[in-house]
């Protein structure tokens, strides 16, 4: 009995030491991957990296991590124009099957899914905010974007007719979609400006617009978009996504 008791104590001690060693190792690895990702993506701040699954050390021996979660605040994505960027808020990605080199200088996930958002204020920069002529004596421009409910964007359009600015903006409910790396905002119904009959293509030149979003971390791509309370909510996905290297 005494020998069995001693054996059990040793098992508990060594088990505890293994857990401690495992957690120390995973914390080190998370820091290394975060630093490499910061450098690779030229980020201003260090991203949050969380390696899931236990034990970590057995995953290391196998050369691949089951599940890695990455969080990036205020990521500046490319817009396809020279020097143009758009701020992506709270980009969170869940990486599966992450293979890595021994020094964590390279790490690639077989698949990735995640979420992000673009505020309405940020997306508004894409719209034609300067007054544009839509017909003789009629100019209009978008002055605001907000949540229209039921997955729609409410677009506020300000118009001036024959030199007189209409007292209130005209509001239009619009649908937002993603195709490839393009986010499109398309009016469900066209507005009327002071009863003036306008050609559809001229009105849509104001109400409808699109924004290219590319250069997301590791090569992940846009999947779906939907209007939310404070901005456009985005889901992303990718394969062979590079976390580092």
């Amino acid at each position: 009995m005494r020998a069995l008791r001693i054996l059990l104590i040793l098992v508990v001690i060594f088990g505890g030491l293994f857990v401690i060693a495992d957690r120390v190792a995973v914390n080190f690895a998370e820091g290394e991957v975060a630093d490499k990702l910061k450098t690779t993506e030229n980020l201003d701040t260090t991203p949050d990296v969380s390696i899931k699954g236990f034990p970590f050390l057995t995953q290391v021996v196998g050369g691949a991590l089951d599940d890695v979660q990455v969080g990036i605040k205020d990521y500046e994505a490319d817009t396809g124009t020279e020097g143009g960027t758009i701020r992506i808020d709270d980009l969170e990605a869940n990486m599966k099957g992450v293979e890595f080199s021994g020094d964590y200088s390279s790490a690639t996930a077989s698949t990735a899914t995640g979420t992000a958002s673009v505020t309405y204020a940020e997306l508004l920069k894409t719209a034609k905010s300067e007054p544009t002529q839509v017909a003789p004596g009629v100019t209009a421009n978008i002055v605001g974007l907000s949540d229209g409910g039921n997955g729609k964007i409410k677009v506020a359009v300000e118009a001036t007719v024959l030199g007189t600015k209409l007292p209130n903006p005209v509001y239009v409910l619009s649908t937002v979609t993603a195709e490839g790396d393009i986010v499109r905002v398309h009016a469900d119904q066209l507005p009327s400006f002071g009863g003036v009959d306008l050609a559809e293509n001229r009105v849509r030149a104001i109400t409808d617009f699109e924004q290219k979003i590319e250069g997301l971390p590791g090569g992940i791509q846009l999947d779906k978009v939907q209007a939310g309370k404070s901005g456009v909510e985005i889901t992303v996905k990718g394969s062979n996504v590079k976390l580092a290297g």
Side-chain angles (χ1 to χ4, degrees):
M1 288 295 293
R2 184 170 181 273
L4 180 59
R5 208 163 35 241
I6 292 174
L7 179 60
L8 290 175
I9 291 172
L10 290 175
V11 169
V12 171
I13 290 173
F14 285 119
L17 290 175
F18 175 79
V19 171
I20 292 171
D22 192 80
R23 294 304 88 190
V24 169
V26 76
N27 287 338
F28 172 79
E30 288 171 345
E32 288 294 302
V33 173
D35 289 341
K36 296 294 184 183
L37 183 57
K38 178 182 179 181
T39 301
T40 300
E41 297 295 337
N42 194 29
L43 303 176
D44 292 332
T45 59
T46 303
D48 294 326
V49 174
S50 178
I51 299 174
K52 303 299 182 180
F54 178 84
F56 166 71
L57 291 174
T58 58
Q59 297 181 64
V60 172
V61 172
L65 304 177
D66 298 333
D67 188 354
V68 178
Q69 294 181 359
V70 176
I72 301 175
K73 300 286 187 181
D74 300 331
Y75 183 81
E76 296 291 334
D78 296 331
T79 60
T81 60
E82 186 175 355
T85 61
I86 184 168
R87 190 179 73 252
I88 307 295
D89 293 336
D90 300 322
L91 176 59
E92 296 183 357
N94 185 243
M95 314 287 189
K96 300 290 188 181
V98 180
E99 297 184 352
F100 57 91
S101 61
D103 61 354
Y104 305 105
S105 60
S106 66
T108 304
S110 60
T111 62
T113 57
T115 60
S117 62
V118 177
T119 66
Y120 288 124
E122 190 72 9
L123 190 61
L124 182 61
K125 298 176 183 179
T126 303
K128 293 181 179 178
S129 56
E130 294 297 322
T132 301
Q133 182 171 304
V134 293
V138 181
T139 60
N141 61 292
I142 294 176
V143 294
L145 302 174
S146 59
D147 177 26
N150 297 319
K152 302 291 185 179
I153 294 179
K154 184 165 70 174
V155 181
V157 182
E158 194 172 73
T160 298
V161 179
L162 300 176
T164 301
K165 182 180 292 187
L166 299 184
N168 299 304
V170 176
Y171 292 100
V172 182
L173 288 180
S174 299
T175 299
V176 58
T177 57
E179 183 178 345
D181 55 8
I182 302 292
V183 173
R184 290 190 171 91
V185 177
H186 182 84
D188 294 350
Q189 292 184 327
L190 297 180
S192 174
F193 303 118
V196 179
D197 189 21
L198 302 175
E200 178 176 346
N201 65 326
R202 300 300 296 272
V203 178
R204 288 200 179 278
I206 301 298
T207 61
D208 297 5
F209 61 95
E210 62 183 37
Q211 173 64 68
K212 190 172 189 177
I213 300 177
E214 60 181 8
L216 294 176
I220 57 177
Q221 302 289 328
L222 299 181
D223 184 18
K224 299 176 182 178
V225 294
Q226 180 174 300
K229 291 295 183 183
S230 57
V232 175
E233 298 171 351
I234 301 170
T235 59
V236 297
K237 65 179 181 179
S239 57
N240 296 320
V241 176
K242 288 187 174 295
L243 280 78

